[in-house]
Amino acid sequence: MPRAKYRSSDVALMARMMRAEAEGEGQMGMLLVGNVIVNRVKADCLDFKGLRTIPQVIFQVQGGNYSFEAVQKGNVFYQAARGVEKRLAKQTLDYWRHSPAKHSLWYFNPHAPCPPTWYDQPASGQYKQHCYYEPKECPSAYSW
């Protein structure tokens, strides 16, 4: 049973997002970004209440801006997903989870050392340039 329900169009969209956000960090970096996307679909807390599909997560607007930089800047749309990114997206949708993004709901590239918290949420780790953060109060983030 997959971690989240999806259609083939969701795999392609998620693959484009993973490529746009983390292509420079290789396959592991893209998988970790995919974890965060799936985690947001699964979490029913904080800023992610009611988000149950890949498009809802990817195109979520918070504070007047899209949640993901690749959507804000439009670079998620610049290149089509290749077979490798589609395979990685499907992998995260079906089963793949890994630290530091295993339970993470946020990540960002601070262009500096990772702060220990981000918007009062604790750091779960770093992979290359991205810092990952887990929720301190969101039981659903830890129940799958």
Side-chain angles (χ1 to χ4, degrees):
M1 181 171 174
R3 291 181 59 216
K5 291 169 72 173
Y6 63 90
R7 302 174 305 196
S8 61
S9 60
D10 297 334
V11 172
L13 177 61
M14 188 163 145
R16 289 171 67 187
M17 182 64 151
M18 291 164 63
R19 181 178 183 187
E21 288 278 322
E23 181 178 28
E25 296 189 351
Q27 290 187 16
M28 177 62 88
M30 288 188 282
L31 283 166
L32 295 171
V33 165
N35 269 184
V36 171
I37 294 167
V38 174
N39 291 349
R40 287 181 179 191
V41 170
K42 300 293 290 179
D44 192 22
C45 61
L46 305 169
D47 297 332
F48 312 108
K49 281 187 180 266
L51 300 179
R52 293 293 158 263
T53 69
I54 299 302
Q56 286 175 337
V57 167
I58 290 176
F59 296 111
Q60 180 186 23
V61 174
Q62 295 177 300
N65 291 310
Y66 288 108
S67 295
F68 290 104
E69 186 175 336
V71 180
Q72 287 177 25
K73 293 183 175 181
N75 58 337
V76 73
F77 304 106
Y78 293 158
Q79 298 193 36
R82 300 171 293 199
V84 65
E85 288 99 10
K86 288 179 183 177
R87 181 182 55 76
L88 296 172
K90 190 165 176 1
Q91 209 174 318
T92 59
L93 285 160
D94 285 339
Y95 65 89
W96 194 89
R97 294 168 62 198
H98 198 279
S99 293
K102 187 172 185 176
H103 301 289
S104 296
L105 295 176
W106 304 274
Y107 64 86
F108 82 110
N109 179 347
H111 303 287
C114 293
T117 62
W118 193 53
Y119 293 100
D120 203 31
Q121 305 301 321
S124 58
Q126 179 174 356
Y127 182 77
K128 295 191 178 183
Q129 299 299 310
H130 281 101
C131 305
Y132 291 85
Y133 295 84
E134 295 181 351
K136 62 181 180 183
E137 293 183 27
C138 179
S140 62
Y142 298 94
S143 64
W144 61 84

